[in-house]
Structure formats: C-alpha cells, structure tokens
Amino acid sequence: MARTITLTVNGAKVTREVESRTLLVQFLREHLELTGTHIGCDTSQCGACVVHVDGRSVKSCTMLAVQADGAAVTTIEGLAAADGTLHPMQAAFREHHGLQCGFCTPGMVMSAIDLAQTHPTLTETAVREGLEGNICRCTGYHNIVKAVLAGAEAMAGRAEAAE
Amino acid sequence: MYDFDYHRPTTIADAVALLAQAEDGRPLAGGQSLIPTLKQRLAKRSDLVDLSAITELRGIRDDGGTLVIGAMTRHAEVAASDLVRSAIPALAATAESVGDAQVRNLGTLGGSIANNDPSADYPAALVGLGATIVTDRRSIAAEDFFTGLFETALAADELVVSVRFPRPDRAAYQKFPNPASRYAVVGVFVAKTGNAVRVAVTGAGAVVFRHSAMEAALTNSFTPAALEPIETPADDFNGDIHASQDYRAHLVKVMAKRAVAALQ
C-alpha cells in the first residue's frame, strides 16, 4: 500500500510516495539517489547502511521508510560543510587512512560520530566494542580505530571551541 | 518483502483494535527481528501496527521500589538510564549486551520479549528477576509468559505495555555471545534477594528456564564452588553449527559460575 511521507534528509524537507514495504535504505538510494549509504548484507549485520535518524545511528536496511515519516535523517552526504570542508570524523578517516576499499566507510563514519557524541571520553576498547555493528571485510580495523579516536578528539575540540 | 498495510496509532486502544481487525496483523516495535524476517520472506503479514507513536508505552520510572519500564523503551535507553543503573545494574548491563549499538538504538524491551527468541537476553533477566509483564488487559509473571520457542502467553491482539522489575539485593548476567550475531549461545542471569536465589538460563533450550538445582545449591552456599557438582542434562538443549548440546550444557555451568563470582 502506498503512503505519502514527509521527512527531513540532510537538512532539506522531502515528500514522497512510498510503498509500506520500502526500506529506508532503498528510499535513500533509489528514490532520493543518495547512494553514499551502502547495502552490504541482507541480515542486518554489516553496518554499511548506517545513517542517523533523529541524531542516533541506525541500520537503514532494518527500518521502513514509513517509520521515518516526520523524522530528521542524516546520511554520509550530509556531513561535509557546504564549501566542501569535511566533517572532522571524515577528515580523520582520510588522515589516518581508515579505509581500504571504502565500501564500509560511510557506515563506519556514521557509527563513529554517534559513538563520539554519546561517549565523552573514548578508549581504544570502547571504539572496538562500539563498532561491533560495522564489518570491514578488508579487515582494516586498526586504522579505522585510530581514525575514530582522532576524529572523536577533533569533534570534542570543535565543540569546545564553539563554547 | 511482501507488501502489507502500515498503521501508526497513537493510543493502545487503537493499536489493539487495528490488530483485532487485521487478517494477520503484527505489532511493529523496534523491528530489529521482525523486519529481517519480513525482508527474507520468512514471514508475511497483512498489517503492521507501528507502536512508536504511543507515548504511554515509553519511559522508565520508579514505582515504590519497583522499576517500571515501558514496552517501547529502547535497549540503549535502558542501558544508559541512571535509574536502571542504580536500581538494577545487571539489567542495564543486559540491555547493553544486546546486539550492537545500532540494534540497541531501535530494539525495544517489549519487542524482544514478545518475539521470545530462544537466544535473546531479556527473557533471562525477566525470569531471573521475577518480573511481571503488564499487558493491555492483565499481568503475567515472567515464568508464565515465555511458553515455548518464539511463543508467549500473549494473544494475537494483546500488547505488552510495561514490565515491572522488583529490586534484587544483587544480580549479574553473564553470556557467551555468538561472535557474529551477539545473540547468547548461552546466557545465565543470577539474582539474590534475601536468602532466595534465582537462576535463569537463556540460549540453551527452546525457551528460557529456571535452573532449580543451581538455585538450591546457591541458596545453601552462594559461591561458584557450590555449582561445581551440578550437572545440567543436555537432552532437550539446542544443538547447531554454533554449539553442540553438550557444549551448551557445559557453558551453563561456566556462565553461572562467572555470574556468581561477579557477585562475591
């Protein structure tokens, strides 16, 4: 059954008609052509599809688009500033080479930002546990963890500077 | 995924009415088990009734020493709640051990117990703590609620509203997680209130159960050593690619000893 939904995606209001069974990740990729959010598995395990819904990280392959009606969604495309300046977490992934093939990277970055926002002080153990829901099949975890620690520090620094 | 009609009522009464009218309806809580089964066409439903807009199903409060958690409260909210962490730290730790961070941001207490996966964590906490499940029409003791493999005492149109947890003196949950899914291969919840000890086991059998032999031994002597002579029959246990029946029986003792050791 088709329904009309209205939500905010990366700061812009969008209204679309979707089937009840449309997954949020299909809506983002196929209806809005925001293909930065990836699909890596069918079992809700890999985390390549992680986006933020009302500020918290969720797997967009395990949520219906209709469930996001009225919500604010942020995808990897919504992180960088209008002038192209990368989000501190994105910059940290580049600086620390926190990727190999890059397929898992959008989900890693979205999960990492939520992790940094909900944990004022992050340890290496907390990062490794916090990224349990994101799988990197290049197994490049070492640099990802370094990038997340650096990115979290940069985010905290930016928050302090703004105060 | 097969298509279905989607509803998002704002009151419990409307949700129950929608479920009663539906040909083959199902409540949608956090969706972290339901949506994967629908995606893979393991299930087909005529109607999904999304409970997320019903505000009275959410929240955590203290009711004269009893902790009351709304059915639609997310695992992440239970894990982070100062009230839960101070009243029953083992319950916050149980919530923190479910799935991964993204699953915990959507998954709910009510959804988890209504699904009653044999490897889910919350059933052990509810039975271990002697919790009471409050539905839209009655109260059910946790031991009477979980009736079988993916089966509960709930009627098809009955909704979990909240769960009431009495405070134990001490409690701990230990699980051996599957490294990929983080489901419990075996999980053991131990709670001590006065002289009474409750031991609830998830993951091992078709449904959560109390381990009366361990409870008797721990009532006599609340030490890990007291569990050493207790053997757990493996005959009715789950055996699969992750763990054999005998290995699960072995894990029951190991996890129970770790839980008791954590409370010394």
Side-chain angles (χ1 to χ4, degrees):
Chain A
M1 196 174 82
R3 289 177 66 96
T4 302
I5 60 170
T6 299
L7 59 163
T8 306
V9 179
N10 298 332
K13 199 166 231 189
V14 294
T15 299
R16 291 283 195 287
E17 192 170 277
V18 297
E19 283 189 312
S20 297
R21 61 177 168 176
T22 304
L23 294 168
L24 179 58
V25 70
Q26 291 174 308
F27 176 72
L28 294 170
R29 288 178 55 85
E30 295 165 23
H31 295 228
L32 303 183
E33 299 183 350
L34 294 170
T35 54
T37 302
H38 290 168
I39 301 173
C41 73
D42 283 329
T43 51
S44 309
Q45 284 179 312
C46 82
C49 68
V50 171
V51 301
H52 293 181
V53 175
D54 292 332
R56 295 306 302 271
S57 60
V58 304
K59 292 180 175 176
S60 62
C61 77
T62 313
M63 182 171 179
L64 303 168
V66 288
Q67 286 179 281
D69 190 8
V73 176
T74 304
T75 70
I76 191 75
E77 289 93 341
L79 292 183
D83 67 358
T85 305
L86 292 179
H87 183 282
M89 191 61 77
Q90 290 176 301
F93 268 69
R94 184 168 72 177
E95 175 67 22
H96 293 272
H97 198 63
L99 61 146
Q100 290 181 43
C101 85
F103 192 87
C104 72
T105 311
M108 286 284 181
V109 170
M110 300 310 287
S111 290
I113 290 170
D114 189 10
L115 185 67
Q117 284 170 343
T118 48
H119 293 72
T121 51
L122 269 181
T123 60
E124 182 184 331
T125 306
V127 171
R128 289 186 187 275
E129 285 175 1
L131 293 180
E132 271 191 342
N134 294 77
I135 295 174
C136 166
R137 282 301 71 153
C138 305
T139 71
Y141 294 106
H142 193 65
N143 282 358
I144 290 171
V145 172
K146 277 203 280 190
V148 174
L149 287 168
E153 208 165 293
M155 284 170 65
R158 193 172 70 165
E160 265 171 36
E163 279 170 10
Chain B
M1 195 181 322
Y2 297 106
D3 205 13
F4 49 81
D5 285 349
Y6 170 86
H7 314 270
R8 197 197 285 185
T10 55
T11 67
I12 292 171
D14 286 351
V16 170
L18 284 162
L19 287 166
Q21 287 160 18
E23 184 190 331
D24 183 21
R26 188 81 170 159
L28 172 61
Q32 300 303 285
S33 296
L34 179 57
I35 292 176
T37 59
L38 293 172
K39 265 168 66 171
Q40 297 182 57
R41 294 192 171 182
L42 295 170
K44 180 183 178 182
R45 294 288 176 180
S46 66
D47 297 76
L48 290 191
V49 178
D50 184 349
L51 307 177
S52 65
I54 306 175
T55 50
E56 59 191 306
L57 292 179
R58 302 194 76 153
I60 301 168
R61 64 190 170 85
D62 179 85
D63 181 15
T66 300
L67 188 64
V68 184
I69 303 182
M72 282 296 288
T73 309
R74 315 279 178 185
H75 304 322
E77 293 167 339
V78 174
S81 160
D82 288 337
L83 185 55
V84 180
R85 290 165 84 112
S86 66
I88 313 177
L91 184 60
T94 303
E96 182 76 32
S97 79
V98 177
D100 54 52
Q102 287 69 44
V103 168
R104 293 192 293 272
N105 280 340
L106 287 178
T108 66
L109 170 61
S112 171
I113 64 171
N115 188 48
N116 193 18
D117 189 295
S119 297
D121 299 294
Y122 265 128
L126 267 67
V127 172
L129 290 166
T132 302
I133 293 96
V134 180
T135 77
D136 61 290
R137 61 200 71 170
R138 57 182 170 150
S139 292
I140 308 170
E143 283 161 88
D144 302 326
F145 180 86
F146 302 104
T147 53
L149 186 74
F150 291 105
E151 285 182 3
T152 69
L154 291 171
D157 62 347
E158 187 171 11
L159 287 182
V160 177
V161 173
S162 63
V163 180
R164 299 176 63 84
F165 295 93
R167 287 189 197 201
D169 297 336
R170 291 182 280 169
Y173 179 60
Q174 287 287 326
K175 79 165 169 178
F176 189 84
N178 179 300
S181 70
R182 267 81 64 186
Y183 271 105
V185 176
V186 166
V188 178
F189 198 101
V190 176
K192 190 171 192 300
T193 310
N195 289 326
V197 179
R198 295 172 69 102
V199 178
V201 179
T202 188
V207 66
V208 62
F209 65 91
R210 280 178 72 180
H211 201 309
S212 48
M214 285 187 172
E215 291 181 356
L218 290 171
T219 303
N220 191 39
S221 166
F222 196 74
T223 59
L227 296 173
E228 197 53 58
I230 312 270
E231 294 304 327
T232 304
D235 304 342
D236 296 328
F237 277 5
N238 306 320
D240 53 31
I241 57 166
H242 306 298
S244 67
Q245 289 179 312
D246 287 342
Y247 186 53
R248 277 190 165 86
H250 167 73
L251 284 175
V252 171
K253 188 189 288 188
V254 175
M255 293 302 119
K257 282 166 71 176
R258 285 185 190 171
V260 175
L263 295 173
Q264 296 299 303

